[in-house]
C-alpha cells in the first residue's frame, strides 16, 4: 500500500467532512486498511466511513461508489471498467479493434502507464494486493463483460484477454524487449486486435 | 541471483575440474557474475572459466555451450529453445496448437512451473536479471524462431506470443484469478492455440 505509512491515521474523529486534503488522506488510509483486511467484495463503505471518522453519506457523496473509492485508494490512474464499455458498446465484429485501440492509447500516456506499472509491480510483490486486485477485477470487470458475451466460458475468455494485456505491458514496458518495446502502437494494433477478437467472439 | 550469496566464491584455483559439486557451484557463481556484468551476448565461456579457475575446454565439456551454462546459472528448469522446435518443426497450419500444447503441458509439472515462476519474479524485481533474460531470449529464441517464419515483422510476432505466455502464467498462477486459475489445460488449449496461430502465421 503506497502511502499508508506517510502519517499516522487519526481515528474516530467523528463528523469530519471528506472534502479537505487531510480528511481525504485519512479516508484513503482507512479504505486501504479495510480492503486489505476484508478483500474487495466484503469491505463496506459504512465500515470505512466509521474507521475514518466521517459520515457515510458524505463518503458516498465525495467518493461515489465502493469501486471508485477502491481505485482512489490503490491510486489507479484509470477506471478499468472503461474497458467494459469498449467491449460491450458497438458492433461485436469490431470488439478486438476497440479493445486493442483503447489499451494501446492508454499506454501512450506516460503518467498513466507509469502508474499502471507501479500498481502491477505492487501486485506482483504482494499477495495481499494481488488478492485485492483479483477481487476488484472479477467483480467489476470480468463479470460485467462476461454477461454481455454470447460465447461459451465467457469469464475464461475475458481473463485470457486480460492476461494478454498484462503480459504485453510486462514485455513492452518492464522487460522492454526489442523490437516490441519500441514498436509503434499502429504495428501492434492489428495483431492484438485479432487475438482479442478471437478470445471474445470466435467460437 | 538466487544462490550467489550462499558462500564466498573461491577464486583463481586453477586446474580444478568442473565435475564436483563445489566446482560446479564455483563455476555457476562465476557465470552469474560474468553474465550480470556483461550481459548474455558479451559474456564469454573463456572469461567464466578464468574467473572460476577451471580449464575452458573442461567447462565446455561439462556445461556444453554458453546458453546451457546460462540456463544452469539462472536455474532455468527447461531450455526455452525447445519452444523453437515446436514452432519450426511440422505443419505451419498447426503451429498455434503445438506451441499452446507444449506450454500448457510444461506448466502441468509443478516443479517446472514453480521454478519458472521464481525466475519470472526475480526478473520482475531486478532490472539486471530482466536485462539478462532479455538478452538470452532475443538471441536464443526470438531470432531463431523469426528466421523460420514468412510473415512481416516476425520478431514482433514472436514477442507477442511470448507476452501472451508470460501474461497467462502471471494471471493463472501468480494473480490466480478464477476461473482461469483452475481451468483445465484442455479448455485453454484451443483459445491459446488460436491466438498463437494468429500471431505467428496469419497476415
Amino acid at each position: 500500500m503506497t502511502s499508508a505509512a506517510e502519517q499516522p491515521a487519526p481515528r474516530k474523529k467523528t463528523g469530519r467532512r471528506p472534502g479537505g486534503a487531510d480528511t481525504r488522506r485519512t479516508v484513503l488510509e482507512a479504505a486501504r486498511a479495510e480492503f486489505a483486511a476484508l478483500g474487495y467484495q466484503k469491505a463496506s463503505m459504512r465500515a470505512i466511513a466509521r474507521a475514518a471518522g466521517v459520515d457515510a453519506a458524505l463518503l458516498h457523496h465525495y467518493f461515489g461508489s465502493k469501486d471508485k473509492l477502491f481505485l482512489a485508494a490503490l491510486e489507479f490512474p484509470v477506471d478499468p471498467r472503461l474497458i467494459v464499455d469498449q467491449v460491450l458498446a458497438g458492433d461485436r465484429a469490431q470488439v478486438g479493434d476497440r479493445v486493442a485501440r483503447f489499451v494501446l492509447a492508454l499506454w501512450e500516456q506516460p503518467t498513466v502507464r507509469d502508474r499502471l506499472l507501479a500498481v502491477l509491480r505492487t501486485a506482483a510483490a504482494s499477495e495481499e494486493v494481488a488478492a485485492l486486485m483479483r477481487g476488484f477485477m472479477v467483480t467489476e470487470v470480468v463479470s460485467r463483460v462476461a454477461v454481455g458475451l454470447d460465447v461459451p466460458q465467457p469469464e475464461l475468455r475475458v481473463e485470457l484477454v486480460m492476461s494478454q494485456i498484462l503480459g504485453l505491458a510486462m514485455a513492452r514496458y518492464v522487460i522492454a524487449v526489442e523490437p516490441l518495446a519500441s514498436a509503434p502502437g499502429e504495428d501492434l494494433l492489428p495483431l492484438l486486435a485479432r487475438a482479442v477478437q478471437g478470445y471474445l467472439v470466435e467460437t
Side-chain angles (χ1 to χ4, degrees), chain A:
Chain A
M1 301 292 167
T2 30
S3 63
E6 272 176 20
Q7 138 175 345
R11 293 193 158 259
K12 299 287 172 195
K13 295 187 185 166
T14 48
R16 295 174 68 190
R17 294 168 53 89
D22 280 359
T23 313
R24 183 183 159 81
R25 184 157 54 204
T26 306
V27 166
L28 293 179
E29 282 170 12
R32 279 190 286 268
E34 174 83 358
F35 285 127
L38 296 181
Y40 176 73
Q41 285 98 334
K42 290 185 182 164
S44 78
M45 291 287 271
R46 198 161 41 83
I48 292 166
R50 200 182 316 120
V54 299
D55 186 79
L58 280 170
L59 189 65
H60 274 283
H61 178 72
Y62 280 98
F63 284 97
S65 45
K66 185 168 78 168
D67 57 278
K68 291 202 177 60
L69 178 55
F70 179 85
L71 297 177
L74 266 77
E75 299 179 49
F76 256 71
V78 67
D79 189 337
R81 290 178 314 162
L82 288 174
I83 216 166
V84 177
D85 304 331
Q86 298 301 316
V87 175
L88 300 181
D91 185 3
R92 195 54 45 94
Q94 304 297 322
V95 63
D97 184 73
R98 281 198 304 277
V99 170
R101 210 172 278 277
F102 177 77
V103 166
L104 293 169
L106 207 59
W107 292 345
E108 300 287 313
Q109 303 168 251
T111 54
V112 173
R113 183 174 74 215
D114 290 350
R115 193 57 221 140
L116 283 174
L117 291 175
V119 172
L120 204 68
R121 281 180 207 267
T122 311
S126 157
E127 169 51 31
E128 185 186 75
V129 178
L132 265 180
M133 303 272 303
R134 197 160 61 216
F136 176 84
M137 294 301 279
V138 168
T139 309
E140 301 290 346
V141 180
V142 177
S143 306
R144 287 169 195 265
V145 175
V147 295
L149 297 176
D150 44 2
V151 288
Q153 302 185 294
E155 291 87 1
L156 193 64
R157 288 157 172 269
V158 175
E159 290 173 3
L160 279 161
V161 170
M162 288 168 54
S163 80
Q164 172 60 95
I165 292 170
L166 169 68
L168 184 54
M170 294 276 298
R172 185 161 158 87
Y173 297 115
V174 181
I175 308 177
V177 65
E178 294 294 357
L180 184 61
S182 303
E186 69 209 62
D187 285 4
L188 297 173
L189 179 61
L191 294 162
L192 180 60
R194 181 164 54 205
V196 174
Q197 187 74 17
Y199 285 138
L200 295 185
V201 177
E202 290 165 33
T203 50

